[in-house]
Amino acid sequence: MCSASRGLRTLHLLDDPFLAVLPPAHPLARQPVIELGQLRAERWIDNEWPSTLCRETMLKACGAAGFSPDFVVEAHDYAAAVGFVAAGLGLTLIPRLALRAIPTESVVCRPVVGPVPTRTIVAVVKAGAESQPPLSVFLDLLRAAADEHGG
């Protein structure tokens, strides 16, 4: 737990790594794990609005791998981005948990390393309120769901 803001607390639920989403015929689709730097010269599908934390996380990871993605399509939506990848227009990175809600039969999803782009999922509550019965039960349910999904 850490302080989010005066009077608020953040409770860590899970870390959600991004996966590379590739067309099935892509040469890297056969690899079990992809080094982020291997995606340097690829055509990218942007799947976030420019000011989101997920986009910032993706851009920071790419920067740490020594490149800036060449976005050729701006989808601003995970499901649309997967559709563009399936059409062979490029590749993208999407958080693993988000991919559970999107049909991915027409693409290949692979873990990424070097670095691993990861978003952190937290609950923000009023400091001291987490022990109140209704909130405590709700937080227990959130933690159980996070554990179920790899938290």
Side-chain angles (χ1 to χ4, degrees):
M1 287 191 279
C2 64
S3 175
S5 180
R6 192 174 183 150
L8 299 176
R9 295 181 74 73
T10 59
L11 307 172
H12 180 267
L13 295 173
L14 67 100
D15 292 319
D16 188 18
F18 287 56
L19 300 179
V21 182
L22 308 141
H26 193 285
L28 295 175
R30 293 186 297 270
Q31 290 185 201
V33 176
I34 296 171
E35 289 281 337
L36 190 53
Q38 291 179 284
L39 305 178
R40 166 185 336 265
E42 298 291 334
R43 297 165 46 96
W44 283 70
I45 310 299
D46 192 3
N47 58 42
E48 287 281 351
W49 290 98
S51 60
T52 64
L53 289 175
C54 284
R55 186 166 196 267
E56 183 180 320
T57 298
M58 179 175 56
L59 293 176
K60 281 184 180 180
C62 290
F67 72 97
S68 179
D70 176 23
F71 292 115
V72 296
V73 175
E74 291 189 30
H76 304 294
D77 174 81
Y78 294 142
V82 167
F84 287 122
V85 171
L89 298 177
L91 58 81
T92 195
L93 297 180
I94 296 179
R96 182 189 65 206
L97 191 56
L99 285 167
R100 293 178 62 117
I102 300 169
T104 57
E105 299 84 21
S106 58
V107 295
V108 173
C109 301
R110 294 288 183 257
V112 176
V113 295
V116 178
T118 304
R119 68 178 178 172
T120 300
I121 309 294
V122 299
V124 180
V125 299
K126 183 177 177 183
E130 60 264 28
S131 62
Q132 294 177 2
L135 182 55
S136 177
V137 169
F138 180 67
L139 291 172
D140 287 344
L141 291 170
L142 286 176
R143 288 182 186 110
D147 288 345
E148 180 182 329
H149 295 290

